[in-house]
Amino acid sequence: MIRNTHPTLPEFEYIRPQSVGEACDFLTRHAADARPFLGGTDVFVRMRDGVLNPKYLVDVKALPGMQEIRFDPQSGLTIGAAVNMNRVIAAAETREHYPLLADACRSVASYQLRSRATVVGNICNASPAGDTLGACLAFNGVLHIQSSQGVRQELLSNFFRGPGKTTLQTGEIAAALFLPLPHAGSQGVYIKLGRNKLSDLSLVGVTALGYPDPGAPSGYRFRLILASVAPTPLIAKQAEDCLAAQPVTPASIQEAARLASEACAPIDDVRGSARYRKQMVKNLSARALTSVWEKLNRRGQNDISSD
Ligand SMILES: Cc1cc2nc3c(=O)[nH]c(=O)nc-3n(C[C@H](O)[C@H](O)[C@H](O)COP(=O)(O)OP(=O)(O)OC[C@H]3O[C@@H](n4cnc5c(N)ncnc54)[C@H](O)[C@@H]3O)c2cc1C
């Protein structure tokens, strides 16, 4: 038993299982009292604030595979659940193939925080403000989830069910995030609007990704995912479709940004009003899509000049 001298962090029992089976069994047997954790940067804050009061905290960081980051040029990137954000940023594979994810991680708080915080913890916490969720969704991420029954794979686009709510069941542990290979020529941008530059959650977050697709009428497809403006990260599907269906121009980008703003359902809270957020979604979506479009064009010109 760990006795805490901190006046506001409740006491808990620290459990460090040796195998996934042991961890899943423990979490199943103590369904009401136990919680898995990785970096703990959400769990401990919520315990201190009295939102959570688990009797047992199950440290899953040392389970097999949890610390691995592995790139397969045929299939994609696997990020073990316990890989912290600084390692994701530093990995050559992320920088080369998924720079949008590295940018999203870089927007999270401080270097110190990121040396604990994990992308998978960000996902499992399921806050609509989670900064890395947009990039993981844009890359069609899949969560590998383990339980006593074996492994199941869940598309992230199906995973989030509300603030703090996911499809995770009792006794299940997220073991890794898998990101398929990005489409050739993909370019992305993450814009985070917070009350300050450091250590604030987003008032609005806009993730945009674009790539050439000869099958689309415009010749391109875009992904646009919004943070902090709905109960879950919001995929602005109509805005995405709008830019695939017609030539990409300043006017069609403005139209897509308007559709994104219409799709979101923000709330008023301490960080900003719903009205302000809706307006910022429009402005920042237009800015993010324009920036992606410029990057796509620059890349296209470079390809031509290097032929
Ligand atoms: C000062 C401060 C600043 C912050 N700033 C930001 C910010 O700018 N942007 C942002 O997005 N977030 C921010 N956060 C929130 C937090 O750091 C992130 O959400 C982080 O990614 C959580 O990762 P973690 O590994 O610490 O998760 P943990 O706290 O360990 O876990 C998070 C949740 O996931 C569950 N969980 C953990 N591991 C598993 C697993 N393997 N399987 C199933 N469920 C699991 C836990 O029970 C818990 O509910 C901030 C937090 C603090 C304290």
Side-chain angles (χ1 to χ4, degrees):
M1 173 79 76
I2 294 178
R3 294 236 164 251
N4 265 304
T5 50
H6 192 294
T8 56
L9 190 64
E11 287 179 6
F12 62 90
E13 205 163 319
Y14 175 83
I15 309 292
R16 194 176 169 104
Q18 300 303 309
S19 69
V20 173
E22 194 188 322
C24 294
D25 283 351
F26 189 91
L27 287 165
T28 305
R29 273 188 285 115
H30 300 277
D33 302 321
R35 212 169 173 97
F37 81 104
L38 291 160
T41 61
D42 279 311
V43 164
F44 287 115
V45 172
R46 300 185 82 205
M47 286 171 68
R48 185 200 60 190
D49 292 348
V51 181
L52 292 177
N53 194 4
K55 189 168 170 201
Y56 306 103
L57 278 186
V58 182
D59 185 345
V60 294
K61 284 192 289 296
L63 296 179
M66 289 279 192
Q67 296 284 353
E68 277 177 29
I69 180 159
R70 199 174 59 248
F71 180 68
D72 178 343
Q74 305 303 319
S75 58
L77 184 69
T78 304
I79 301 173
V83 175
N84 70 43
M85 291 190 187
N86 285 336
R87 282 187 59 206
V88 173
I89 293 168
E93 296 86 353
T94 322
R95 285 162 178 261
E96 187 175 345
H97 302 285
Y98 309 85
L100 175 62
L101 177 61
D103 287 348
C105 287
R106 230 178 264 111
S107 79
V108 173
S110 59
Y111 183 89
Q112 288 82 350
L113 194 282
R114 295 193 294 269
S115 71
R116 300 291 306 177
T118 62
V119 173
V120 170
N122 204 219
I123 291 169
C124 292
N125 191 50
S127 160
D131 281 309
T132 67
L133 312 189
C136 296
L137 281 160
F139 288 122
N140 298 315
V142 177
L143 210 52
H144 291 194
I145 298 169
Q146 291 197 291
S147 71
S148 314
Q149 276 77 52
V151 183
R152 73 179 176 93
Q153 302 190 352
E154 177 88 68
L155 264 176
L156 277 190
S157 54
N158 190 47
F159 182 68
F160 302 105
R161 293 302 160 99
K165 293 198 172 65
T166 68
T167 61
L168 278 173
Q169 301 293 312
T170 301
E172 287 190 327
I173 295 173
L177 169 70
F178 173 69
L179 301 178
L181 283 182
H183 294 274
S186 291
Q187 299 292 334
V189 166
Y190 180 55
I191 300 181
K192 173 178 180 175
L193 177 68
R195 288 171 302 182
N196 55 47
K197 289 262 179 222
L198 271 185
S199 217
D200 194 21
L201 293 177
S202 68
L203 254 161
V204 167
V206 177
T207 304
L209 183 81
Y211 54 91
D213 179 358
S218 74
Y220 292 89
R221 297 224 180 254
F222 287 81
R223 307 298 320 274
L224 187 67
I225 294 126
L226 310 171
S228 294
V229 291
T232 61
L234 182 75
I235 300 175
K237 184 83 177 61
Q238 284 181 313
E240 294 177 351
D241 291 348
C242 160
L243 288 175
Q246 57 184 312
V248 183
T249 62
S252 62
I253 285 177
Q254 286 300 332
E255 171 67 359
R258 188 187 61 75
L259 289 168
S261 174
E262 273 177 13
C264 65
I267 53 166
D268 295 314
D269 70 10
V270 287
R271 293 201 298 282
S273 69
R275 191 162 157 265
Y276 178 65
R277 285 185 154 111
K278 247 181 175 326
Q279 185 59 46
M280 287 302 109
V281 166
K282 188 158 166 258
N283 296 1
L284 298 181
S285 294
R287 194 185 298 173
L289 291 167
T290 303
S291 168
V292 167
W293 182 234
E294 286 169 359
K295 285 186 180 195
L296 286 167
N297 280 319
R298 266 202 300 277
R299 199 193 132 94
Q301 279 161 11
N302 289 343
D303 287 352
I304 291 164
S305 57
S306 61
D307 279 347

